[in-house]
């Protein structure tokens, strides 16, 4: 299982097959430490190939981040994603949020169906879902706050209140009716280059480079 806050590498066929063998040898119930692997395999076997190629890696990595938090959040996706989006905002380029907004309906349906079916001794139910409008509100708030902080960087002791006020103003500009306008997001964040952490594994760094090129 990936540590919280650390993106896992993509599953490879050998690891997937090894996990199937372990499942059969252990019987019907799996250890909770295997839940992320279990859901990743179900993702690969069900909806992964139905997503556009450019979204598959991002959807799988988000799934792994969600899976590791499901027990602590008791299956409440709204609370989970509100917390997770804040964490991911500092670690990923804005294009990742763009992709999340696009594949979320498919991924959420997968979670609603597959999470309760994970053969744990104490199963997890999805008790709270996240609407598209609420998701985009959370994404927009995070991006606006990130941009506001970057714009005020260098000012003497930029106050949290100033950052929040600027973020609220930006949010109004990013919306078109009830949804985020991703072209406006692109224009707003274009001046701020995303920096990739050199300590990440090469697979993750390449994924982030691919995102920034979208």
């Amino acid at each position: 299982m990936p540590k919280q806050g650390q993106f896992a590498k993509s599953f490879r066929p050998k690891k997937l097959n090894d996990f199937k063998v372990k499942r059969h040898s252990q019987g019907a119930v799996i250890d909770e430490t295997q839940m992320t692997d279990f859901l990743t395999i179900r993702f690969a076997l069900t909806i992964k190939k139905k997503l556009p190629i450019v979204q598959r890696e991002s959807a799988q990595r988000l799934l792994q981040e969600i899976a590791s938090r499901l027990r602590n959040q008791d299956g409440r996706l709204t609370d989970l994603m509100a917390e997770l989006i804040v964490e991911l905002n500092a670690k990923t380029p804005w294009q990742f949020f763009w992709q999340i907004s696009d594949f979320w309906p498919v991924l959420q349906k997968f979670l609603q169906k597959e999470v309760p079916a994970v053969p744990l001794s104490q199963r997890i139910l999805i008790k709270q879902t996240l609407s598209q409008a609420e998701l985009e509100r959370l994404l927009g708030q995070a991006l606006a706050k990130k941009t506001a902080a970057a714009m005020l960087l260098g000012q003497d002791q930029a106050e949290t209140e100033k950052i929040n006020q600027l973020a609220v103003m930006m949010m109004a500009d990013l919306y078109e009716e009830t949804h985020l306008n991703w072209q406006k997001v692109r224009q707003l964040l274009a001046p701020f280059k995303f920096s990739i952490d050199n300590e990440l594994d090469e697979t993750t760094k390449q994924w982030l480079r691919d995102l920034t090129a979208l």
Side-chain angles (χ1 to χ4, degrees):
M1 179 189 295
K3 295 180 181 179
Q4 289 194 9
Q6 297 293 324
F7 281 113
K9 295 181 180 179
S10 299
F11 260 48
R12 297 292 178 257
K14 184 178 184 302
K15 184 172 182 181
L16 190 152
N17 291 331
D18 287 348
F19 184 67
K20 285 181 179 178
V21 172
K22 291 178 183 177
R23 277 190 59 214
H24 289 310
S25 66
Q26 291 174 352
V29 176
I30 66 170
D31 187 88
E32 189 143 335
T33 59
Q34 295 179 299
M35 182 173 67
T36 298
D37 291 348
F38 185 95
L39 287 172
T40 304
I41 289 171
R42 289 297 303 159
F43 173 78
L45 294 175
T46 56
I47 67 168
K48 185 173 184 178
K49 292 183 179 179
K50 297 178 182 179
L51 293 172
I53 293 174
V54 295
Q55 294 182 3
R56 292 174 188 175
E57 184 76 5
S58 294
Q60 177 170 299
R61 287 175 182 262
L62 181 64
L63 169 63
Q64 291 168 333
E65 292 291 320
I66 290 173
S68 66
R69 293 165 168 80
L70 279 168
R71 177 66 74 188
N72 288 342
Q73 290 290 353
D74 197 25
R76 300 188 305 272
L77 291 182
T78 299
D79 295 342
L80 188 157
M81 287 297 291
E83 179 180 285
L84 182 56
I85 285 169
V86 173
E87 293 183 24
L88 297 180
N89 196 32
K91 301 174 183 178
T92 60
W94 68 266
Q95 289 92 336
F96 183 41
F97 285 4
W98 181 23
Q99 289 190 332
I100 290 174
S101 73
D102 201 24
F103 64 62
W104 179 249
V106 174
L107 185 60
Q108 180 164 246
K109 285 182 180 178
F110 170 85
L111 292 167
Q112 289 177 280
K113 179 181 179 182
E114 298 292 341
V115 169
V118 178
L120 301 170
S121 58
Q122 293 184 326
R123 303 208 178 197
I124 300 173
L125 302 178
I126 298 300
K127 299 176 181 178
Q128 182 190 70
T129 57
L130 179 61
S131 70
Q132 187 70 21
E134 178 64 12
L135 172 70
E136 293 197 18
R137 186 185 69 82
L138 293 172
L139 295 173
Q141 285 179 335
L143 290 171
K145 192 167 184 177
K146 181 178 185 177
T147 307
M151 292 177 68
L152 295 175
L153 186 66
Q155 293 190 16
D156 292 338
Q157 298 180 337
E159 299 176 8
T160 301
E161 185 177 351
K162 290 182 180 179
I163 293 174
N164 291 338
Q165 288 175 347
L166 183 56
V168 170
M169 293 173 61
M170 289 179 176
M171 273 286 287
D173 291 334
L174 294 179
Y175 265 84
E176 186 171 302
E177 296 182 355
T178 60
H179 296 284
L180 283 172
N181 184 318
W182 290 100
Q183 290 307 312
K184 290 183 178 180
V185 173
R186 181 188 296 277
Q187 293 170 5
L188 181 65
L189 291 168
F192 307 105
K193 184 178 179 181
F194 177 75
S195 179
I196 297 175
D197 186 348
N198 286 328
E199 294 186 3
L200 294 171
D201 64 87
E202 185 55 39
T203 304
T204 299
K205 286 193 283 189
Q206 185 57 55
W207 168 64
L208 292 171
R209 285 192 288 266
D210 291 342
L211 280 176
T212 59
L214 293 176

